[in-house]
Amino acid sequence: GMERYSRVYPKVNLSTTITNAVATSLIGFLYDAHGAYTLALLLVFGMMLLQIAVVLTAYRRKAGDGPAA
């Protein structure tokens, strides 16, 4: 909730900044190695699906539905 916002936000912001720095470098390295963005885009798509699954699982648990099936 809002009472934890000031502790959580800096951690989330730092992790987002580091992830963006690493991800853009990784995409560039993959392009250099393979000559196309196909593999990089597939990896990004896979990570997005994983993020959706994690958020939905967390939301279910917070909503009181119990462990996700």
Side-chain angles (χ1 to χ4, degrees):
M2 289 303 292
E3 64 276 356
R4 295 184 185 160
Y5 182 82
S6 64
R7 286 189 9 223
V8 173
Y9 181 77
K11 294 173 186 173
V12 170
N13 194 28
L14 177 63
S15 66
T16 300
T17 302
I18 292 171
T19 301
N20 285 336
V22 171
T24 53
S25 298
L26 180 62
I27 289 170
F29 290 135
L30 289 172
Y31 178 80
D32 289 343
H34 296 279
Y37 287 108
T38 305
L39 181 58
L41 292 174
L42 289 173
L43 287 173
V44 168
F45 181 69
M47 292 302 295
M48 292 172 103
L49 291 176
L50 179 63
Q51 289 172 338
I52 290 169
V54 168
V55 168
L56 289 176
T57 300
Y59 180 75
R60 278 180 162 172
R61 289 186 180 179
K62 179 146 177 84
D65 293 343

